[in-house]
Amino acid sequence: MPLLMAIAEWRYLKTGDEVYYTLARRWAVGTAIMFAVGAVSGTVLSFELGLLWPRFMKWAGGIIGMPFSLEGFAFFTEAIFFGIYIMDGIAFRRAPISRRDWLLPSAAWPRLSSS
């Protein structure tokens, strides 16, 4: 989704067609909602693993721990760049394309490649 939002904004800046800008903004709202739901469910999941299945985590914790910590790092990196993307879009609607438009897709890449 972040890559599609960046492409839509790039197309808007190249063509000036408002449809691309509207598309990027609507995708950003949908992504923000999904991001919030994912943050809540991920937090609940991390507590459930330790509290509800302690024997399983004692056995598999070493296996699950590293990918889970990498997911946490990728999540926070993506959250930072997504916040920059949203706030920059609100503050500077017609700003020229910048590096921030491609930071979000690059921050999302570790999450996509681990899926």
Side-chain angles (χ1 to χ4, degrees), residues 2-114:
L3 180 61
L4 293 175
M5 292 179 334
I7 290 171
E9 277 204 23
W10 176 75
R11 295 280 300 180
Y12 163 69
L13 292 171
K14 287 292 183 186
T15 64
D17 190 358
E18 286 288 325
V19 171
Y20 294 116
Y21 182 78
T22 304
L23 184 64
R25 291 290 105 200
R26 288 187 182 164
W27 279 346
V29 169
T31 304
I33 292 168
M34 295 299 284
F35 202 78
V37 170
V40 171
S41 64
T43 304
V44 170
L45 176 69
S46 67
F47 280 105
E48 283 181 350
L49 285 173
L51 293 174
L52 299 178
W53 299 295
R55 285 186 288 175
F56 171 72
M57 288 308 292
K58 184 178 181 183
W59 177 75
I63 300 166
I64 295 174
M66 183 54 118
F68 206 66
S69 66
L70 289 174
E71 171 67 21
F73 175 75
F75 172 78
F76 284 116
T77 305
E78 190 176 6
I80 290 167
F81 288 125
F82 191 61
I84 292 169
Y85 178 83
I86 294 293
M87 292 311 294
D88 193 34
I90 291 170
F92 308 105
R93 179 169 186 231
R94 296 192 186 273
I97 195 161
S98 63
R99 281 182 246 144
R100 67 103 184 157
D101 291 321
W102 299 103
L103 286 175
L104 184 60
S106 65
W109 183 253
R111 299 184 84 192
L112 296 174
S113 62
S114 66

